[in-house]
Structures are given as C-alpha cells and as structure tokens.
Amino acid sequence: MVFDYIMDKAEALRALHDEISADRTLPLREANLVFGEGSLHCDVLFIGEAPGQKEDELVRPFVGRSGQLLNKMLEEIGMRREDVYITNIVKRRPPENRDPSPEEIAAYKPYLTRQIAILKPCVIVTLGRFSMNYFLPDAKISRDEGKLIRVGEYFIYPLFHPAAALRSPQMMATFRKSFLQLPRALSKCKELQGGV
Ligand code: URA
C-alpha cells in the first residue's frame, strides 16, 4: 500500500538520522546535524555541499541567501520546495563556512549514499562541484553543468552552486538558464526510466 510505502521511507530516514547522530567517529560534531528535508516521494533531489551558519542555526538545509535563490528558481519552474528533497553531502557546518575537506566528505559519504537509496529520486541535481564530483569525479563544473548524465542507476543534473551564481552575473545567467531546463531534464529521465 502507498501509505505503508511512505511510512517505510519515513522510518528508514529517521533511523538513518539517528545513526548519523550517534556516530562519534564523524567530524564536525560540535555543529548541528542538518539531515535534509522535503518530500519522501520526490522526483528531484538537490544535493549541496554543507550547511552554512543560517542552516546550522535553523537546522534546515538551504535557508540562507543560497536557499532564497533556490526557492525563487523552484517557483519559476512551478515546483514547490515541499515537492522536492534538499540535503547536503556533509551534514554539519564546517567552521567559518570553509569548503568541506576531502576527509569530511569521505566520512559523510556512506550516509548520503543510503539517504539516496531510501529516497530513490528520478533526477539528482548537484549544486556545485563538490556534490557533482561525488557522482562524477572527473567532471568539470564549467563544462558539464546543465548536462543530464547517467551514472549507473541515477541521472545527475549538475548545476552551479547558488552561492557562486550570487557572486557573478555571468554565473547567474548560466545557473538560471540550466535551472529553467530542469523540468525538461526530469521529463527525459522519466522517459528513459520508462515512466512516461
Ligand atoms: N550551501 C550549501 O551547500 N548547503 C546549504 O545547506 C546551504 C548553503
């Protein structure tokens, strides 16, 4: 039954959350655990880098300036934030908003892998190069953003990080253009998965 299926996903995510919370080997444990949020039956999963200050304070992903841009773009393509799922590779804030280190990414990686396996989205939108390189180690963000790329059982749609778009009008134009193509990319994924 659909209800049982949704409950199973909710329970699996709750169990995963509790496991991360209890894992004393993880780095950055002084910060809050920002697990992720959104629809359990999402078609689209957004993956960023790591929470920033605002995200750490509110214990929610993408609620600062980058999050506002993400919300605005979702609205433009007729999607609601509640219909997608949003998370990060590294689930705790690195101090001073520095980039997550390779060790931090490696430590949180198995948990992201399990989170994706529970959610089973149609398309994974990676925000920024760290998240893109998690799936596509050899990809270059300036070359590969906006391309729909199949990686095993997943379809990856790399985009610039919203923070990068906010820093440069040129990047903003590219980010916007590719974001507006997301519904098309999603339709393509569904078609290739035999869903439409
Ligand atoms: N940047 C990210 O990569 N993730 C967030 O949650 C917020 C800002």
Side-chain angles (χ1 to χ4, degrees):
M1 269 162 64
V2 174
F3 184 68
D4 289 343
Y5 171 65
I6 293 169
M7 281 308 290
D8 283 351
K9 278 194 176 189
E11 278 164 23
L13 285 177
R14 208 171 305 124
L16 186 64
H17 172 283
D18 293 349
E19 210 180 306
I20 302 175
S21 183
D23 185 345
R24 291 179 187 284
T25 68
L26 286 173
L28 306 170
R29 282 184 54 88
E30 56 289 352
N32 283 320
L33 169 57
V34 182
F35 181 73
E37 65 181 24
S39 168
L40 302 185
H41 36 100
C42 58
D43 281 338
V44 185
L45 169 63
F46 288 88
I47 304 178
E49 293 173 6
Q53 187 178 0
K54 196 89 187 156
E55 287 75 23
D56 180 56
E57 268 168 40
L58 300 181
V59 198
R60 294 181 61 201
F62 283 97
V63 286
R65 284 189 71 222
S66 291
Q68 282 167 17
L69 177 57
L70 184 58
N71 294 348
K72 181 173 161 286
M73 291 309 306
L74 282 170
E75 206 176 303
E76 278 197 44
I77 59 168
M79 281 186 195
R80 294 178 317 160
R81 191 173 158 116
E82 310 85 84
D83 297 332
V84 302
Y85 198 95
I86 304 172
T87 191
N88 286 296
I89 308 187
V90 170
K91 304 214 186 292
R92 290 189 176 96
R93 180 191 179 213
E96 315 301 330
N97 288 349
R98 63 162 168 75
D99 287 343
S101 69
E103 293 74 25
E104 286 158 359
I105 291 174
Y108 282 89
K109 198 171 167 167
Y111 290 114
L112 176 63
T113 306
R114 285 170 58 195
Q115 199 172 21
I116 296 168
I118 295 167
L119 288 165
K120 298 196 195 334
C122 287
V123 60
I124 297 173
V125 179
T126 57
L127 297 170
R129 70 189 162 94
F130 290 100
S131 156
M132 178 189 68
N133 288 147
Y134 168 89
F135 299 97
L136 300 156
D138 299 324
K140 297 262 177 296
I141 188 85
S142 50
R143 184 190 65 199
D144 296 320
E145 71 74 38
K147 291 183 188 164
L148 186 64
I149 304 167
R150 189 173 204 149
V151 180
E153 60 186 304
Y154 299 118
F155 286 96
I156 311 301
Y157 191 63
L159 293 182
F160 283 141
H161 194 285
L166 286 165
R167 278 195 297 268
S168 137
Q170 207 185 340
M171 282 202 173
M172 179 65 91
T174 306
F175 175 75
R176 243 183 84 74
K177 186 162 170 265
S178 298
F179 207 113
L180 295 176
Q181 293 296 317
L182 177 56
R184 255 187 75 192
L186 177 59
S187 301
K188 188 79 194 155
C189 294
K190 287 189 171 175
E191 189 187 308
L192 292 170
Q193 283 171 342
V196 167

